[in-house]
């Protein structure tokens, strides 16, 4: 796991992860204080939930995907990939170790966000505490299942086409899956189109992993059967993304 340790130590020394941790821990308390939430105590906790998960998503999409792309490109252009290949570390293992090193920083960010919501936005009614724990666990699980494949894909695309391409393509895919498919769905409800319907059906529905509004309005945990269907759906995307990432990933630069 030498490449894993090297990648993790490189990311750690750049200290950008500290900004993400600061944003997830501090902004949920700071932003509501400078907004109208202080005048309406009932919306203080919902505002904290909104700020927490906005920070988590922003850190993952902006910093996480950028870091993944940067490390994927660096592994190829610096010659590290070629070196580790000569020492017996296969391309598959190189991609996996880089991916895991990035997840080591993304998972704690998601855990921090979940912890803030559980500890500082818990409903006052004791009868709702169990539901709140379940809903936050569901959010954490779906978030990681949805975002982890994108991070691995960013590493792979960047290793072949460069860091800018890796970051731009995965960011656009994530934004489309989170918000674009919703607009496309609304468009199809107003005016059916078989071609657009086919595109929508094969589009990644990352928006199903965003339970911020469900937490905000305290709509309750997702039913067990539906939750496991979502887990299976995102797991299928994970398997597909892993295969695609392995096909894209390379250890040697063509230049």
């Amino acid at each position: 796991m030498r490449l894993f340790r090297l990648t993790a130590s490189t990311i750690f020394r750049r200290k950008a992860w500290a900004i993400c941790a600061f944003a997830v821990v501090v902004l949920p308390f700071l932003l509501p204080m400078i907004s109208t939430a202080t005048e309406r105590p009932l919306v203080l906790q919902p505002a904290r939930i909104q700020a927490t998960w906005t920070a988590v998503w922003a850190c993952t999409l902006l910093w996480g995907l950028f870091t993944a792309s940067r490390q994927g490109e660096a592994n190829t252009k610096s010659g590290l990939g070629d070196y580790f290949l000569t020492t017996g570390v296969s391309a598959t293992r190189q991609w996996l170790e880089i991916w895991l090193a990035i997840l080591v920083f993304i998972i704690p960010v998601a855990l921090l966000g979940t912890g803030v919501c559980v500890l500082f936005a818990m409903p006052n009614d004791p009868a709702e505490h169990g539901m709140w724990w379940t809903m936050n666990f569901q959010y954490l699980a779906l978030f990681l299942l949805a975002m982890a494949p994108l991070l691995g894909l960013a590493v792979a695309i960047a290793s072949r086409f460069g860091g800018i391409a890796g970051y731009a393509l995965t960011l656009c895919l994530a934004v489309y899956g989170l918000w674009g498919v919703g607009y496309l769905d609304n468009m199809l409800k107003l005016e059916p189109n078989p071609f657009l319907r086919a595109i929508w059906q094969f589009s990644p529905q990352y928006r199903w992993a965003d339970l911020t509004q469900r937490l905000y309005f305290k709509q309750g945990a997702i039913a067990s059967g539906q939750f496991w269907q979502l887990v299976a759906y995102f797991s299928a995307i994970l398997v597909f993304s892993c295969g695609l990432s392995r096909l894209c990933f390379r250890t040697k630069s063509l230049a």
Side-chain angles (χ1 to χ4, degrees):
M1 299 291 282
R2 288 180 297 165
L3 182 56
F4 169 82
R5 292 194 296 269
L6 178 62
T7 304
S9 62
T10 300
I11 297 173
F12 182 82
R13 289 179 181 178
R14 286 175 180 155
K15 298 295 190 296
W17 58 268
I19 300 175
C20 296
F22 176 84
V24 173
V25 173
V26 176
L27 291 184
F29 300 94
L30 179 61
L31 293 181
M33 296 302 295
I34 61 177
S35 69
T36 58
T38 55
E39 301 174 3
R40 301 175 59 191
L42 290 177
V43 302
L44 182 60
Q45 289 183 343
R48 187 169 293 159
I49 293 167
Q50 190 80 38
T52 299
W53 279 102
T54 298
V56 173
W57 282 103
C59 289
T60 304
L61 295 177
L62 300 179
W63 175 76
L65 292 177
F66 172 79
T67 301
S69 301
R70 186 175 183 178
Q71 293 304 131
E73 181 182 38
N75 187 68
T76 301
K77 290 191 173 182
S78 66
L80 276 175
D82 198 14
Y83 164 74
F84 279 107
L85 202 62
T86 61
T87 62
V89 182
S90 66
T92 301
R93 183 170 175 178
Q94 288 187 38
W95 168 75
L96 183 62
E97 290 190 20
I98 297 172
W99 183 32
L100 291 177
I102 295 163
L103 288 177
V104 162
F105 293 89
I106 296 299
I107 292 175
V109 169
L111 287 172
L112 283 174
T114 302
V116 169
C117 289
V118 168
L119 298 177
F120 301 101
M122 181 78 74
N124 295 325
D125 188 354
E128 297 180 347
H129 289 182
M131 171 274 297
W132 193 252
W133 278 94
T134 302
M135 189 158 45
N136 278 276
F137 167 76
Q138 290 176 341
Y139 198 166
L140 175 65
L142 294 178
F143 171 82
L144 292 176
L145 278 174
M147 290 297 102
L150 283 172
L151 295 169
L153 191 60
V155 173
I157 294 176
S159 71
R160 180 170 293 273
F161 302 108
I164 295 177
Y167 179 61
L169 289 175
T170 52
L171 180 61
C172 289
L173 182 61
V175 170
Y176 171 69
L178 285 168
W179 296 288
V181 290
Y183 289 112
L184 183 59
D185 188 25
N186 292 331
M187 186 187 306
L188 290 171
K189 290 177 181 178
L190 295 175
E191 186 176 350
N193 184 300
F195 177 71
L196 293 179
R197 172 63 64 179
I199 294 177
W200 179 84
Q201 288 177 339
F202 288 98
S203 297
Q205 305 285 337
Y206 296 127
R207 58 180 178 147
W208 293 342
D210 184 2
L211 304 185
T212 304
Q213 293 303 309
R214 196 176 190 92
L215 284 177
Y216 187 93
F217 293 107
K218 298 181 181 178
Q219 295 176 336
I222 302 174
S224 178
Q226 183 182 0
F227 172 71
W228 289 112
Q229 286 180 354
L230 289 174
V231 169
Y233 173 77
F234 286 116
S235 296
I237 293 179
L238 173 63
V239 172
F240 176 79
S241 296
C242 287
L244 182 61
S245 298
R246 179 57 192 91
L247 289 175
C248 289
F249 184 77
R250 72 178 180 201
T251 58
K252 300 180 180 181
S253 176
L254 294 179

